[in-house]
């Protein structure tokens, strides 16, 4: 049904984003994406089970998600003193960057072994050449797409909540909204009852 198609598409987009952030060891986006996936599942559950409160939570989260993705865009475009080369997104735990920085379209990695160094990091990447598009622009497009999906999700959530609210308001309990209850008994005046008993 239409009520489940849209949240499922949002969930697929969130999972796709999570995969690429995992590949790049971007810990802050990984946590944000994980929370986003949980909220999308909650919104999907609320849509299927007719729970408007869960959908309202999703709608509120979309505003936070848009804000987060605007921050990511500013980070990669180095707006306001931010630097794409900083370790902010990895919590200063590692020096990893976006997975797209080495695996973007057309990118070729040139490696050189470092003599005298043993261990897992026995290779050092000298350069990445031939990229058709710089990785920061790929990340910006990724975040812009997430913002677009979040805005569509917000409108969809508001629509679903309004539909559920209208259905609840129009639901007729047993005489709940009827000024004359279904089992209303017309009472006769007492003087008419006395007249009938004497007849």
């Amino acid at each position: 049904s239409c009520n489940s198609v849209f949240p499922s598409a949002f969930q697929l987009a969130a999972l796709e984003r999570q995969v690429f952030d995992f590949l790049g060891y971007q810990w802050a986006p990984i946590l944000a994406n994980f929370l986003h996936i949980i909220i999308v599942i909650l919104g999907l559950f609320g849509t299927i089970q007719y729970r408007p409160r869960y959908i309202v939570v999703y709608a509120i989260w979309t505003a936070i998600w848009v804000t987060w993705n605007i921050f990511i865009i500013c980070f990669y475009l180095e707006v306001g003193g931010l630097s794409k080369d900083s370790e902010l997104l990895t919590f200063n735990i590692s020096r990893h960057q976006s997975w797209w920085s080495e695996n973007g379209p057309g990118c070729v990695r040139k490696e050189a072994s470092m003599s005298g160094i043993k261990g897992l990091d026995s290779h050092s990447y000298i350069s990445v050449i031939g990229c058709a598009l710089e990785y920061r622009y790929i990340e910006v497009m990724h975040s812009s797409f997430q913002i677009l999906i979040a805005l569509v999700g917000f409108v969809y959530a508001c629509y679903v909540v309004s539909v559920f609210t209208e259905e609840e308001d129009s639901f007729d309990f047993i005489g709940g909204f009827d000024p004359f209850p279904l089992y209303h008994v017309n009472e006769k005046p007492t003087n008419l009852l006395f007249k009938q008993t004497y007849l």
Side-chain angles (χ1 to χ4, degrees):
S1 67
C2 186
N3 282 351
S4 60
V5 169
F6 282 111
S8 298
F10 302 152
Q11 190 174 5
L12 285 175
L15 288 171
E16 180 266 342
R17 174 78 173 267
Q18 182 75 312
V19 167
F20 287 110
D21 286 334
F22 254 119
L23 291 172
Y25 299 100
Q26 302 287 291
W27 302 116
I30 285 169
L31 291 175
N33 293 332
F34 180 72
L35 187 57
H36 180 61
I37 290 169
I38 290 174
I39 300 294
V40 170
I41 292 172
L42 190 68
L44 178 61
F45 177 78
T47 303
I48 295 173
Q49 295 294 322
Y50 297 95
R51 303 284 178 89
R53 290 181 183 177
Y54 294 166
I55 304 171
V56 169
V57 169
Y58 170 77
I60 293 170
W61 170 254
T62 56
I64 301 170
W65 185 243
V66 167
T67 305
W68 167 254
N69 280 282
I70 289 173
F71 166 75
I72 295 295
I73 290 172
C74 292
F75 177 82
Y76 282 106
L77 294 180
E78 299 182 331
V79 176
L82 295 170
S83 172
K84 63 181 173 53
D85 297 323
S86 72
E87 299 171 11
L88 186 63
L89 297 184
T90 59
F91 297 132
N92 295 323
I93 296 174
S94 64
R95 297 186 58 84
H96 289 94
Q97 290 185 333
S98 168
W99 181 81
W100 297 104
S101 63
E102 297 174 0
N103 300 282
C107 291
V108 177
R109 295 179 295 174
K110 294 227 170 180
E111 303 178 9
S113 59
M114 296 185 67
S115 58
I117 298 179
K118 295 181 179 180
L120 295 175
D121 297 327
S122 59
H123 290 83
S124 175
Y125 297 116
I126 293 178
S127 63
V128 179
I129 60 172
C131 294
L133 189 63
E134 195 175 343
Y135 76 92
R136 63 178 180 161
Y137 297 121
I138 297 176
E139 290 287 356
V140 166
M141 287 190 297
H142 225 154
S143 291
S144 301
F145 180 66
Q146 291 292 326
I147 290 172
L148 179 63
I149 289 179
L151 293 175
V152 172
F154 178 79
V155 173
Y156 173 77
C158 292
Y159 168 74
V160 171
V161 169
S162 67
V163 168
F164 287 173
T165 306
E166 286 176 6
E167 287 179 359
E168 286 179 1
D169 290 343
S170 63
F171 182 73
D172 185 16
F173 294 99
I174 300 177
F177 297 109
D178 193 355
F180 298 102
L182 185 63
Y183 300 106
H184 179 71
V185 178
N186 290 325
E187 295 182 359
K188 297 183 179 181
T190 53
N191 57 352
L192 291 176
L193 289 174
F194 282 121
K195 287 181 180 178
Q196 286 181 353
T197 55
Y198 288 112
L199 291 175

